[in-house]
């Protein structure tokens, strides 16, 4: 739904999307004012659930939303960078390998329980071979950046589950 997509954008991006939907390429006859507010959530929040097109330009929205959610849930500095790198590897694999030219959906869920962030990256595609040579370091990167990596492939697609303890929240 549009509400979910807009909720995951920065205020400036929301304004662009709303204006494009309401006005499009039509020349406005009068001034238009639009107020978009970003509410910063303090403390632990509900899970972050994103459903994005499996396209390279969606990855920036994913990183932005994930960074805000992680910060609101106590992750800091290097651990945020590690988590984002692992999520980027898993998500980029969806964009590159899960779907053909027709595209598909990238579903990502972040949740925090007992000091551990669990990120689930899901697609409903069918794995395609890598294009090019000297590739295939994504799994190693995910393993080095998180505490646990699980991958499940079946006829309905691929699910990658990443777990990372947050410092001060169950991690030394």
């Amino acid at each position: 739904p549009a509400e979910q997509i807009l909720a995951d954008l920065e205020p400036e991006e929301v304004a662009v999307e709303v204006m494009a939907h309401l006005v499009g390429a039509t020349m406005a006859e009068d001034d238009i004012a639009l107020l978009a507010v970003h509410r910063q959530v303090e403390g632990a929040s509900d899970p972050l659930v994103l459903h994005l097109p499996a396209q390279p330009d969606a990855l920036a929205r994913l990183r932005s939303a994930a960074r805000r959610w992680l910060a609101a849930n106590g992750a800091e500095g290097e651990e945020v960078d590690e988590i984002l790198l692992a999520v980027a590897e898993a998500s980029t694999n969806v964009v590159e390998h899960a779907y053909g030219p027709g595209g598909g959906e990238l579903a990502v869920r972040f949740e925090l329980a007992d000091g551990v962030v669990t990120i689930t990256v899901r697609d409903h595609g069918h794995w395609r071979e890598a294009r090019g040579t000297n590739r295939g370091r994504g799994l190693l990167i995910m393993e080095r950046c998180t505490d646990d990596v699980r991958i499940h492939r079946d006829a309905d697609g691929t699910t990658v589950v990443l777990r990372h303890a947050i410092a001060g929240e169950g991690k030394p």
Side-chain angles (χ1 to χ4, degrees):
E3 297 83 13
Q4 179 64 40
I5 292 170
L6 291 178
D8 299 325
L9 299 177
E10 294 294 326
E12 296 82 11
E13 296 170 304
V14 170
V16 169
E17 291 293 322
V18 168
M19 292 304 294
H21 178 74
L22 293 176
V23 179
T26 306
M27 179 64 82
E29 294 181 24
D30 201 353
D31 293 341
I32 298 174
L34 175 66
L35 174 64
V37 178
H38 173 84
R39 189 185 71 152
Q40 180 67 40
V41 178
E42 296 296 327
S45 65
D46 293 332
L48 171 64
V49 179
L50 303 168
H51 295 276
L52 301 166
Q55 299 173 351
D57 60 343
L59 299 178
R61 290 192 310 227
L62 168 59
R63 282 189 303 275
S64 178
R67 186 177 299 280
R68 287 192 310 269
W69 186 90
L70 288 164
N73 282 282
E76 297 179 346
E78 190 174 312
E79 65 190 357
V80 170
D81 295 339
E82 290 174 343
I83 293 168
L84 290 177
L85 181 55
V87 170
E89 287 296 325
S91 301
T92 299
N93 282 342
V94 171
V95 170
E96 185 172 346
H97 300 292
Y99 303 103
E105 181 181 79
L106 164 64
V108 184
R109 178 184 177 92
F110 288 75
E111 55 190 322
L112 178 66
D114 299 323
V116 177
V117 175
T118 301
I119 305 107
T120 305
V121 179
R122 177 84 172 120
D123 69 66
H124 296 285
H126 300 286
W127 201 256
R128 299 179 314 142
E129 292 301 316
R131 294 179 293 257
T133 57
N134 200 20
R135 313 270 320 251
R137 293 180 188 85
L139 180 57
L140 178 62
I141 291 170
M142 287 185 270
E143 289 171 342
R144 295 262 170 101
C145 291
T146 62
D147 300 320
D148 185 50
V149 178
R150 306 286 166 125
I151 300 173
H152 176 75
R153 292 183 182 97
D154 60 26
D156 293 326
T158 303
T159 302
V160 176
V161 178
L162 308 165
R163 289 186 177 82
H164 193 290
I166 300 296
E169 296 281 342
K171 187 175 186 176

